[in-house]
Coordinates of all heavy atoms in Angstrom, one line a residue:
V3 N 76.6 128.4 87.8 CA 75.7 127.8 86.9 C 75.1 126.5 87.5 O 74.0 126.2 87.5 CB 76.3 127.5 85.5 CG1 75.4 126.7 84.7 CG2 76.7 128.8 84.8
I4 N 76.0 125.8 88.1 CA 75.6 124.4 88.6 C 74.9 124.4 89.9 O 73.9 123.6 90.0 CB 76.9 123.5 88.7 CG1 77.5 123.4 87.3 CG2 76.6 122.2 89.3 CD1 78.9 122.7 87.3
H5 N 75.3 125.1 90.9 CA 74.8 124.9 92.2 C 73.2 125.1 92.3 O 72.6 124.2 92.9 CB 75.5 125.8 93.2 CG 76.8 125.2 93.5 ND1 78.0 125.5 92.9 CD2 77.2 124.3 94.4 CE1 79.0 124.8 93.3 NE2 78.5 124.0 94.3
P6 N 72.6 126.1 91.9 CA 71.1 126.2 92.0 C 70.4 124.9 91.4 O 69.6 124.4 92.0 CB 70.7 127.5 91.3 CG 71.9 128.3 91.5 CD 73.1 127.4 91.3
A7 N 70.9 124.5 90.2 CA 70.3 123.4 89.5 C 70.6 122.1 90.3 O 69.7 121.3 90.5 CB 70.8 123.3 88.1
L8 N 71.8 122.0 90.8 CA 72.2 120.8 91.6 C 71.3 120.7 92.8 O 70.8 119.7 93.2 CB 73.7 120.9 91.9 CG 74.2 119.8 92.8 CD1 74.2 118.4 92.0 CD2 75.6 120.1 93.2
Y9 N 71.2 121.8 93.5 CA 70.4 121.8 94.8 C 69.0 121.5 94.5 O 68.4 120.8 95.4 CB 70.6 123.2 95.5 CG 72.0 123.5 96.0 CD1 72.3 124.8 96.3 CD2 72.9 122.5 96.2 CE1 73.6 125.1 96.7 CE2 74.2 122.8 96.6 CZ 74.5 124.1 96.9 OH 75.8 124.4 97.4
R10 N 68.4 121.9 93.4 CA 67.0 121.6 93.1 C 66.9 120.1 92.9 O 65.8 119.5 93.3 CB 66.5 122.3 91.9 CG 66.3 123.8 92.2 CD 65.6 124.6 91.1 NE 65.4 125.9 91.5 CZ 66.2 126.9 91.2 NH1 67.3 126.7 90.5 NH2 65.9 128.2 91.6
H11 N 67.9 119.4 92.4 CA 67.8 118.0 92.2 C 68.1 117.2 93.5 O 67.6 116.1 93.7 CB 68.9 117.5 91.2 CG 68.4 117.6 89.8 ND1 68.4 118.8 89.1 CD2 67.9 116.7 88.9 CE1 67.9 118.6 87.9 NE2 67.6 117.4 87.8
Y12 N 68.7 117.9 94.5 CA 68.9 117.3 95.8 C 67.6 117.4 96.7 O 67.6 116.8 97.7 CB 70.0 118.0 96.6 CG 71.4 117.6 96.3 CD1 72.5 118.5 96.2 CD2 71.7 116.2 96.3 CE1 73.7 118.1 96.0 CE2 73.0 115.8 96.1 CZ 74.0 116.8 96.0 OH 75.3 116.4 95.8
L13 N 66.7 118.3 96.3 CA 65.6 118.6 97.2 C 64.9 117.3 97.8 O 64.6 117.3 99.0 CB 64.5 119.4 96.5 CG 64.8 120.9 96.6 CD1 63.8 121.7 95.8 CD2 64.8 121.4 98.0
P14 N 64.5 116.3 97.0 CA 63.8 115.2 97.6 C 64.5 114.6 98.8 O 63.9 114.2 99.8 CB 63.6 114.2 96.5 CG 63.7 115.0 95.3 CD 64.7 116.2 95.6
E15 N 65.9 114.4 98.7 CA 66.7 113.8 99.8 C 67.3 114.9 100.7 O 67.6 114.5 101.8 CB 67.8 113.0 99.2 CG 67.4 111.9 98.3 CD 67.1 112.2 96.8 OE1 67.3 113.4 96.5 OE2 66.6 111.4 96.1
G16 N 67.5 116.1 100.2 CA 68.2 117.0 101.0 C 67.5 118.2 101.5 O 68.2 119.2 102.0
A17 N 66.2 118.2 101.5 CA 65.5 119.4 102.0 C 65.9 119.9 103.4 O 66.1 121.1 103.6 CB 64.0 119.1 102.0
P18 N 66.1 119.0 104.4 CA 66.5 119.5 105.7 C 67.9 120.2 105.6 O 68.0 121.3 106.2 CB 66.6 118.2 106.5 CG 65.7 117.3 105.9 CD 65.8 117.6 104.4
K19 N 68.9 119.7 104.9 CA 70.2 120.4 104.8 C 70.1 121.7 104.1 O 70.7 122.7 104.4 CB 71.2 119.4 104.2 CG 71.6 118.3 105.1 CD 72.7 117.4 104.5 CE 73.0 116.3 105.4 NZ 74.2 115.5 104.9
L20 N 69.3 121.7 102.9 CA 69.2 122.9 102.1 C 68.4 123.9 102.9 O 68.7 125.1 102.8 CB 68.6 122.5 100.8 CG 69.5 121.7 99.9 CD1 68.7 121.1 98.7 CD2 70.7 122.5 99.4
A21 N 67.4 123.5 103.7 CA 66.7 124.4 104.5 C 67.6 125.0 105.6 O 67.5 126.2 105.9 CB 65.5 123.7 105.2
R22 N 68.4 124.3 106.1 CA 69.4 124.8 107.1 C 70.3 125.9 106.5 O 70.5 126.9 107.0 CB 70.2 123.7 107.7 CG 71.2 124.2 108.7 CD 72.0 123.0 109.3 NE 73.0 123.6 110.2 CZ 74.2 123.0 110.4 NH1 74.5 121.9 109.9 NH2 75.0 123.6 111.2
M23 N 70.8 125.6 105.2 CA 71.6 126.6 104.5 C 70.7 127.9 104.3 O 71.2 129.0 104.6 CB 72.0 126.1 103.2 CG 72.7 127.1 102.3 SD 72.9 126.7 100.6 CE 71.2 126.9 100.0
A24 N 69.5 127.7 103.9 CA 68.6 128.9 103.6 C 68.4 129.7 104.9 O 68.4 130.9 104.9 CB 67.2 128.4 103.1
R25 N 68.2 129.0 106.0 CA 68.0 129.7 107.3 C 69.3 130.4 107.8 O 69.2 131.6 108.2 CB 67.5 128.7 108.3 CG 66.1 128.2 108.0 CD 65.5 127.2 109.0 NE 64.2 126.8 108.6 CZ 64.0 125.5 108.3 NH1 64.9 124.5 108.4 NH2 62.8 125.1 107.9
E26 N 70.4 129.7 107.7 CA 71.6 130.2 108.3 C 72.3 131.2 107.4 O 73.0 132.2 107.8 CB 72.6 129.1 108.7 CG 72.0 128.3 109.8 CD 73.0 127.2 110.4 OE1 74.2 127.3 110.0 OE2 72.5 126.4 111.1
V27 N 72.2 131.0 106.1 CA 72.9 131.9 105.1 C 72.0 133.1 104.7 O 72.5 134.2 104.7 CB 73.4 131.1 103.9 CG1 74.0 132.1 102.8 CG2 74.4 130.1 104.3
W28 N 70.8 132.8 104.4 CA 69.9 133.8 103.8 C 68.9 134.3 104.8 O 68.1 135.2 104.4 CB 69.2 133.2 102.6 CG 70.2 132.7 101.6 CD1 70.4 131.4 101.2 CD2 71.1 133.5 100.8 NE1 71.4 131.3 100.3 CE2 71.8 132.6 100.0 CE3 71.3 134.9 100.7 CZ2 72.8 133.0 99.1 CZ3 72.3 135.3 99.8 CH2 73.0 134.4 99.0
G29 N 68.8 133.8 106.0 CA 67.9 134.3 107.0 C 66.4 133.9 106.7 O 65.5 134.6 107.2
V30 N 66.2 132.8 106.0 CA 64.9 132.4 105.7 C 64.2 131.9 107.0 O 64.8 131.2 107.8 CB 64.9 131.3 104.7 CG1 63.5 130.6 104.5 CG2 65.4 131.8 103.4
H31 N 63.0 132.3 107.3 CA 62.3 132.0 108.5 C 61.1 131.0 108.4 O 60.4 130.7 109.3 CB 61.7 133.3 109.2 CG 62.8 134.2 109.6 ND1 63.7 134.0 110.6 CD2 63.2 135.4 109.0 CE1 64.5 135.0 110.7 NE2 64.2 135.8 109.8
D32 N 61.0 130.4 107.2 CA 59.9 129.4 107.0 C 60.2 128.1 107.8 O 61.4 127.6 107.7 CB 59.8 129.1 105.5 CG 58.4 128.5 105.2 OD1 58.1 127.4 105.8 OD2 57.7 129.0 104.3
N33 N 59.3 127.6 108.5 CA 59.5 126.3 109.3 C 59.4 125.1 108.5 O 59.9 124.0 108.9 CB 58.5 126.3 110.5 CG 58.9 127.3 111.5 OD1 60.0 127.6 111.7 ND2 57.8 127.8 112.2
D34 N 58.8 125.2 107.3 CA 58.7 124.0 106.4 C 60.0 123.8 105.6 O 60.4 124.7 104.9 CB 57.5 124.2 105.4 CG 57.4 123.0 104.5 OD1 56.7 122.0 104.9 OD2 58.0 123.0 103.4
D35 N 60.7 122.7 105.8 CA 62.0 122.5 105.2 C 62.0 122.6 103.7 O 62.9 123.2 103.1 CB 62.6 121.1 105.6 CG 63.1 121.1 107.0 OD1 63.3 122.2 107.6 OD2 63.5 120.0 107.5
L36 N 61.0 122.0 103.0 CA 60.9 122.1 101.6 C 60.7 123.5 101.1 O 61.4 123.9 100.2 CB 59.8 121.2 101.0 CG 59.8 121.0 99.5 CD1 61.1 120.5 99.0 CD2 58.6 120.1 99.1
R37 N 59.8 124.2 101.7 CA 59.6 125.6 101.3 C 60.9 126.5 101.6 O 61.3 127.3 100.7 CB 58.4 126.2 102.0 CG 57.1 125.9 101.4 CD 56.0 126.8 101.8 NE 55.9 126.9 103.3 CZ 55.1 126.2 104.1 NH1 54.2 125.4 103.6 NH2 55.1 126.4 105.4
A38 N 61.4 126.3 102.7 CA 62.6 127.1 103.1 C 63.8 126.7 102.1 O 64.5 127.6 101.7 CB 63.1 126.7 104.5
A39 N 64.0 125.5 101.8 CA 65.0 125.1 100.9 C 64.8 125.7 99.5 O 65.7 126.3 98.9 CB 65.0 123.6 100.7
N40 N 63.6 125.7 99.0 CA 63.3 126.3 97.7 C 63.6 127.8 97.7 O 64.1 128.4 96.8 CB 61.8 126.0 97.3 CG 61.7 124.8 96.5 OD1 62.3 124.6 95.5 ND2 60.9 123.9 97.0
I41 N 63.2 128.5 98.8 CA 63.4 129.9 98.9 C 64.9 130.2 98.9 O 65.4 131.1 98.3 CB 62.7 130.5 100.2 CG1 61.2 130.4 100.0 CG2 63.2 131.9 100.5 CD1 60.4 130.6 101.3
G42 N 65.6 129.4 99.7 CA 67.1 129.5 99.7 C 67.8 129.4 98.4 O 68.7 130.1 98.1
I43 N 67.3 128.4 97.6 CA 67.9 128.1 96.3 C 67.6 129.3 95.4 O 68.5 129.8 94.7 CB 67.4 126.8 95.7 CG1 67.9 125.6 96.5 CG2 67.8 126.7 94.2 CD1 67.2 124.3 96.2
D44 N 66.4 129.8 95.5 CA 66.0 131.0 94.7 C 66.9 132.2 95.1 O 67.4 133.0 94.2 CB 64.6 131.4 94.8 CG 63.7 130.4 94.1 OD1 64.1 129.6 93.3 OD2 62.4 130.3 94.5
L45 N 67.1 132.4 96.4 CA 67.9 133.5 96.8 C 69.4 133.4 96.4 O 70.0 134.3 96.0 CB 67.8 133.6 98.3 CG 66.5 134.1 98.9 CD1 66.4 134.0 100.4 CD2 66.3 135.6 98.5
L46 N 69.9 132.1 96.4 CA 71.2 131.9 95.9 C 71.4 132.3 94.5 O 72.3 132.9 94.0 CB 71.6 130.4 96.1 CG 73.0 130.0 95.5 CD1 74.1 130.8 96.1 CD2 73.1 128.5 95.7
E47 N 70.4 131.8 93.7 CA 70.4 132.2 92.2 C 70.3 133.7 92.0 O 71.0 134.2 91.2 CB 69.3 131.4 91.5 CG 69.4 131.5 90.0 CD 68.6 130.5 89.2 OE1 67.5 130.2 89.7 OE2 69.0 130.1 88.2
D48 N 69.5 134.3 92.8 CA 69.4 135.8 92.7 C 70.7 136.5 93.0 O 71.2 137.4 92.3 CB 68.3 136.3 93.6 CG 66.9 136.0 93.2 OD1 66.7 135.5 92.1 OD2 66.0 136.1 94.1
F49 N 71.4 135.9 94.0 CA 72.7 136.5 94.4 C 73.7 136.3 93.3 O 74.5 137.2 93.0 CB 73.2 135.8 95.7 CG 74.6 136.2 96.1 CD1 74.8 137.5 96.6 CD2 75.6 135.4 96.0 CE1 76.1 137.9 97.0 CE2 76.9 135.7 96.3 CZ 77.2 137.0 96.8
I50 N 73.7 135.1 92.8 CA 74.7 134.8 91.7 C 74.5 135.8 90.5 O 75.5 136.4 90.0 CB 74.6 133.4 91.2 CG1 75.1 132.4 92.3 CG2 75.3 133.1 89.9 CD1 74.7 131.0 92.1
Q51 N 73.2 136.1 90.2 CA 72.9 137.1 89.1 C 73.3 138.5 89.6 O 73.9 139.2 88.8 CB 71.5 137.0 88.8 CG 71.1 135.7 88.1 CD 69.6 135.6 87.9 OE1 68.8 136.4 88.5 NE2 69.2 134.7 87.1
E52 N 73.1 138.8 90.8 CA 73.3 140.1 91.3 C 74.8 140.5 91.2 O 75.2 141.6 91.0 CB 72.9 140.3 92.8 CG 73.1 141.6 93.4 CD 72.6 141.6 94.8 OE1 71.5 141.1 95.1 OE2 73.3 142.1 95.7
I53 N 75.7 139.5 91.5 CA 77.1 139.8 91.4 C 77.7 139.6 90.0 O 78.9 139.7 89.8 CB 77.9 139.0 92.5 CG1 77.8 137.5 92.2 CG2 77.5 139.3 93.9 CD1 78.7 136.6 93.1
G54 N 76.8 139.4 89.1 CA 77.3 139.4 87.7 C 77.8 138.0 87.2 O 78.4 138.0 86.1
M55 N 77.5 137.0 87.9 CA 78.0 135.7 87.5 C 76.9 135.0 86.6 O 75.7 135.3 86.8 CB 78.4 134.8 88.7 CG 79.6 135.4 89.4 SD 80.1 134.3 90.8 CE 80.7 132.8 89.9
P56 N 77.2 134.1 85.7 CA 76.2 133.4 84.9 C 75.4 132.4 85.7 O 75.9 131.8 86.6 CB 77.1 132.8 83.8 CG 78.4 132.5 84.5 CD 78.6 133.7 85.4
T57 N 74.2 132.3 85.3 CA 73.3 131.2 85.8 C 72.8 130.3 84.7 O 72.1 129.3 85.0 CB 72.1 131.8 86.5 OG1 71.4 132.7 85.5 CG2 72.5 132.7 87.7
R58 N 73.3 130.5 83.5 CA 73.0 129.6 82.4 C 74.3 129.4 81.6 O 75.1 130.3 81.4 CB 71.9 130.3 81.5 CG 70.6 130.5 82.1 CD 69.8 129.2 82.1 NE 68.5 129.4 82.7 CZ 68.2 129.0 84.0 NH1 69.1 128.4 84.7 NH2 67.0 129.2 84.5
W59 N 74.4 128.2 81.0 CA 75.6 127.9 80.1 C 75.6 128.9 78.9 O 76.7 129.3 78.6 CB 75.5 126.5 79.7 CG 75.6 125.5 80.8 CD1 74.6 124.6 81.2 CD2 76.7 125.3 81.6 NE1 75.1 123.9 82.2 CE2 76.4 124.3 82.5 CE3 78.0 125.8 81.7 CZ2 77.2 123.8 83.5 CZ3 78.9 125.3 82.7 CH2 78.5 124.3 83.6
S60 N 74.5 129.2 78.4 CA 74.5 130.1 77.2 C 75.1 131.5 77.5 O 75.7 132.1 76.6 CB 73.1 130.2 76.7 OG 72.2 130.8 77.7
Q61 N 75.1 131.9 78.8 CA 75.7 133.1 79.2 C 77.2 133.1 79.1 O 77.9 134.1 79.1 CB 75.2 133.6 80.6 CG 73.7 133.9 80.6 CD 73.3 134.0 82.1 OE1 73.7 133.3 83.0 NE2 72.3 135.0 82.3
M62 N 77.7 131.9 79.0 CA 79.2 131.7 78.9 C 79.5 131.2 77.5 O 80.6 130.7 77.2 CB 79.7 130.6 79.9 CG 79.5 131.1 81.3 SD 80.2 130.1 82.6 CE 79.7 128.5 82.2
G63 N 78.5 131.2 76.6 CA 78.8 130.8 75.2 C 78.7 129.3 75.0 O 79.0 128.8 73.9
I64 N 78.2 128.5 76.0 CA 78.1 127.1 75.8 C 76.6 126.8 75.4 O 75.7 127.0 76.2 CB 78.5 126.4 77.1 CG1 79.9 126.7 77.4 CG2 78.2 124.9 77.0 CD1 80.4 126.2 78.8
T65 N 76.4 126.3 74.2 CA 75.1 126.0 73.8 C 75.0 124.6 73.2 O 73.9 124.1 72.8 CB 74.6 127.0 72.7 OG1 75.6 127.0 71.6 CG2 74.5 128.4 73.2
D66 N 76.1 123.9 73.1 CA 76.2 122.5 72.6 C 76.0 121.5 73.6 O 76.8 121.4 74.6 CB 77.5 122.4 71.8 CG 77.7 121.0 71.1 OD1 76.8 120.2 71.3 OD2 78.7 120.9 70.4
E67 N 74.9 120.7 73.5 CA 74.7 119.6 74.5 C 75.8 118.6 74.6 O 76.0 118.0 75.6 CB 73.4 118.9 74.3 CG 72.2 119.8 74.6 CD 70.9 119.0 74.6 OE1 70.9 117.7 74.4 OE2 69.8 119.6 74.6
K68 N 76.6 118.4 73.5 CA 77.7 117.5 73.5 C 78.7 117.9 74.5 O 79.3 117.0 75.1 CB 78.3 117.4 72.1 CG 79.4 116.3 72.0 CD 79.9 116.1 70.6 CE 81.0 115.1 70.6 NZ 81.8 114.8 71.7
V69 N 79.0 119.2 74.6 CA 80.0 119.6 75.6 C 79.5 119.2 77.0 O 80.3 118.8 77.9 CB 80.1 121.2 75.5 CG1 81.0 121.7 76.7 CG2 80.7 121.6 74.2
L70 N 78.2 119.4 77.3 CA 77.6 119.0 78.6 C 77.7 117.5 78.8 O 78.0 117.0 79.9 CB 76.2 119.6 78.7 CG 76.1 121.1 78.6 CD1 74.6 121.5 78.7 CD2 77.0 121.9 79.5
R71 N 77.4 116.8 77.7 CA 77.4 115.3 77.8 C 78.8 114.8 78.1 O 79.0 114.0 79.0 CB 76.9 114.7 76.5 CG 76.9 113.2 76.5 CD 75.7 112.6 77.1 NE 76.1 112.0 78.4 CZ 75.2 111.4 79.2 NH1 73.9 111.4 78.9 NH2 75.6 110.8 80.3
D72 N 79.8 115.4 77.4 CA 81.2 115.1 77.7 C 81.6 115.4 79.1 O 82.3 114.6 79.7 CB 82.1 115.8 76.7 CG 82.0 115.3 75.3 OD1 81.4 114.2 75.0 OD2 82.5 116.0 74.3
S73 N 81.1 116.5 79.6 CA 81.4 116.9 81.0 C 80.8 116.0 82.0 O 81.5 115.5 82.9 CB 80.9 118.3 81.2 OG 81.5 119.3 80.4
A74 N 79.6 115.6 81.8 CA 78.9 114.7 82.6 C 79.6 113.3 82.6 O 79.7 112.7 83.7 CB 77.4 114.5 82.3
D75 N 80.1 112.9 81.4 CA 80.7 111.6 81.3 C 82.1 111.5 81.9 O 82.6 110.4 82.1 CB 80.8 111.2 79.9 CG 79.4 110.8 79.3 OD1 78.4 110.6 80.1 OD2 79.3 110.8 78.0
T76 N 82.7 112.6 82.3 CA 84.0 112.6 82.9 C 83.9 112.9 84.4 O 85.0 112.9 85.0 CB 84.9 113.7 82.2 OG1 84.4 115.0 82.4 CG2 85.1 113.3 80.8
C77 N 82.7 113.1 84.9 CA 82.6 113.4 86.4 C 83.0 112.2 87.2 O 82.7 111.0 86.8 CB 81.2 113.8 86.7 SG 80.7 115.4 86.2
V78 N 83.6 112.4 88.3 CA 83.9 111.4 89.3 C 82.6 111.2 90.1 O 82.1 112.2 90.7 CB 85.1 111.7 90.2 CG1 85.3 110.7 91.3 CG2 86.3 111.9 89.4
L79 N 82.0 110.0 90.2 CA 80.7 109.8 90.8 C 80.9 109.4 92.3 O 81.0 108.3 92.6 CB 80.0 108.7 90.0 CG 79.7 109.1 88.6 CD1 79.0 107.9 87.9 CD2 78.8 110.3 88.4
T80 N 81.0 110.4 93.1 CA 81.1 110.2 94.6 C 79.8 110.7 95.2 O 79.2 111.6 94.6 CB 82.3 110.9 95.2 OG1 82.2 112.3 94.9 CG2 83.6 110.3 94.6
P81 N 79.4 110.2 96.3 CA 78.2 110.7 97.0 C 78.4 112.2 97.3 O 79.5 112.6 97.8 CB 78.1 109.9 98.3 CG 78.9 108.7 98.0 CD 80.0 109.1 97.1
G82 N 77.4 113.0 97.1 CA 77.4 114.4 97.6 C 76.8 114.5 99.0 O 76.9 113.5 99.7
C83 N 76.3 115.6 99.3 CA 75.7 115.8 100.6 C 74.5 114.9 100.9 O 74.2 114.6 102.0 CB 75.4 117.3 100.9 SG 73.9 117.9 100.2
C84 N 73.8 114.6 99.8 CA 72.5 113.9 100.0 C 72.3 112.6 99.2 O 71.6 111.8 99.6 CB 71.4 114.9 99.7 SG 71.5 116.4 100.6
K85 N 73.0 112.6 98.1 CA 72.8 111.4 97.2 C 74.0 111.3 96.2 O 74.7 112.2 96.0 CB 71.5 111.4 96.5 CG 71.4 112.4 95.4 CD 70.0 112.3 94.6 CE 70.1 111.3 93.5 NZ 68.9 111.3 92.7
K86 N 74.1 110.1 95.6 CA 75.1 109.9 94.5 C 74.3 110.0 93.2 O 73.4 109.2 93.0 CB 75.8 108.6 94.7 CG 76.8 108.3 93.7 CD 77.5 107.0 94.0 CE 78.6 106.6 93.0 NZ 79.2 105.4 93.3
F87 N 74.8 110.8 92.3 CA 74.1 111.0 91.0 C 74.8 110.0 90.0 O 75.9 109.7 90.1 CB 74.3 112.4 90.5 CG 73.4 113.4 91.2 CD1 74.0 114.4 91.9 CD2 72.0 113.4 91.1 CE1 73.3 115.4 92.6 CE2 71.3 114.3 91.7 CZ 71.9 115.3 92.5
T88 N 74.0 109.6 89.0 CA 74.5 108.9 87.8 C 75.0 110.0 86.8 O 74.7 111.1 86.9 CB 73.5 108.1 87.2 OG1 72.5 108.9 86.6 CG2 72.8 107.1 88.1
R89 N 75.8 109.5 85.9 CA 76.2 110.5 84.8 C 75.0 111.0 84.0 O 75.0 112.2 83.6 CB 77.2 109.8 83.9 CG 78.6 109.6 84.6 CD 79.7 109.2 83.7 NE 80.9 109.3 84.4 CZ 81.5 108.3 85.0 NH1 80.9 107.1 85.0 NH2 82.7 108.4 85.6
D90 N 74.0 110.2 83.8 CA 72.8 110.7 83.1 C 72.1 111.8 83.9 O 71.6 112.7 83.3 CB 71.9 109.5 82.8 CG 72.4 108.6 81.7 OD1 73.2 109.1 80.9 OD2 71.9 107.5 81.6
E91 N 72.0 111.6 85.2 CA 71.4 112.6 86.1 C 72.2 113.9 86.0 O 71.7 115.0 85.9 CB 71.3 112.2 87.5 CG 70.2 111.1 87.7 CD 70.2 110.6 89.1 OE1 71.3 110.1 89.6 OE2 69.2 110.7 89.8
I92 N 73.5 113.8 86.1 CA 74.4 115.0 86.0 C 74.2 115.7 84.6 O 74.1 116.9 84.6 CB 75.9 114.6 86.2 CG1 76.1 114.1 87.6 CG2 76.8 115.8 85.8 CD1 77.4 113.5 87.9
F93 N 74.1 114.9 83.6 CA 73.8 115.5 82.2 C 72.5 116.2 82.2 O 72.4 117.3 81.7 CB 73.8 114.4 81.2 CG 73.5 114.9 79.8 CD1 74.3 115.9 79.1 CD2 72.3 114.4 79.2 CE1 73.9 116.3 77.9 CE2 72.0 114.9 77.9 CZ 72.8 115.9 77.3
D94 N 71.5 115.6 82.8 CA 70.2 116.3 82.9 C 70.3 117.6 83.7 O 69.6 118.6 83.3 CB 69.1 115.4 83.5 CG 68.7 114.2 82.6 OD1 68.9 114.4 81.3 OD2 68.2 113.2 83.1
I95 N 71.0 117.6 84.8 CA 71.2 118.8 85.6 C 71.9 119.9 84.7 O 71.4 121.0 84.7 CB 72.0 118.5 86.8 CG1 71.2 117.6 87.8 CG2 72.4 119.8 87.5 CD1 71.9 117.0 88.9
L96 N 73.0 119.5 84.1 CA 73.7 120.5 83.2 C 72.8 121.0 82.1 O 72.8 122.2 81.8 CB 75.0 119.8 82.7 CG 76.0 119.4 83.7 CD1 77.2 118.7 83.1 CD2 76.5 120.5 84.6
K97 N 72.2 120.1 81.4 CA 71.3 120.4 80.3 C 70.2 121.4 80.7 O 69.8 122.2 79.9 CB 70.8 119.1 79.6 CG 70.1 119.4 78.3 CD 69.8 118.0 77.6 CE 68.8 117.3 78.4 NZ 68.2 116.1 77.8
G98 N 69.7 121.2 81.9 CA 68.6 122.1 82.4 C 69.0 123.5 82.5 O 68.2 124.4 82.7
Q99 N 70.3 123.8 82.5 CA 70.8 125.2 82.6 C 71.2 125.8 81.3 O 71.9 126.8 81.3 CB 71.9 125.2 83.6 CG 71.5 124.8 85.1 CD 70.4 125.7 85.5 OE1 69.3 125.2 85.6 NE2 70.7 126.9 85.9
L100 N 70.9 125.2 80.2 CA 71.2 125.8 78.9 C 70.4 127.0 78.7 O 70.6 128.0 78.4 CB 71.0 124.8 77.7 CG 72.1 123.9 77.4 CD1 71.6 122.9 76.3 CD2 73.3 124.6 77.0

């Protein structure tokens, strides 16, 4: 549920790294990093669905934003591959997958 949404939030800072993942994992051949990254994220989400895993919280029975807020508020805020998120940003990412 989290990774495609998280990667979309990383795009402004992380397009080169996400494009590399798209090219090496999914065989994307687009030379533009932003386009390649977007294609790779879409392919990842398609794969997650294909193997029967959820891509939305509601598919796991989670529909209450308070659960997501509580989750975001308990995250350890360390830098990821491209940037360090605030708890509010994490909540927005989680909420976007309801």
Side-chain angles (χ1 to χ4, degrees):
V3 173
I4 295 171
H5 283 92
L8 177 66
Y9 294 160
R10 285 187 180 94
H11 277 78
Y12 275 140
L13 273 175
E15 298 84 7
K19 288 183 179 185
L20 293 165
R22 181 176 175 212
M23 175 195 70
R25 292 179 184 118
E26 292 187 13
V27 174
W28 304 110
V30 173
H31 295 291
D32 197 307
N33 289 328
D34 179 88
D35 282 350
L36 187 58
R37 279 194 312 260
N40 271 302
I41 292 167
I43 294 167
D44 290 342
L45 290 169
L46 172 62
E47 190 164 31
D48 291 346
F49 173 74
I50 291 168
Q51 291 173 348
E52 182 181 314
I53 63 172
M55 293 181 67
T57 56
R58 298 278 181 257
W59 296 113
S60 58
Q61 293 169 324
M62 296 188 311
I64 299 170
T65 57
D66 185 351
E67 286 188 13
K68 184 177 179 337
V69 172
L70 303 179
R71 179 81 250 180
D72 290 346
S73 297
D75 288 346
T76 60
C77 286
V78 176
L79 301 176
T80 60
C83 77
C84 307
K85 73 177 273 187
K86 182 177 178 178
F87 288 114
T88 67
R89 288 192 171 92
D90 287 338
E91 287 175 302
I92 292 169
F93 176 62
D94 287 341
I95 292 166
L96 297 176
K97 189 171 65 171
Q99 293 306 104
L100 274 175

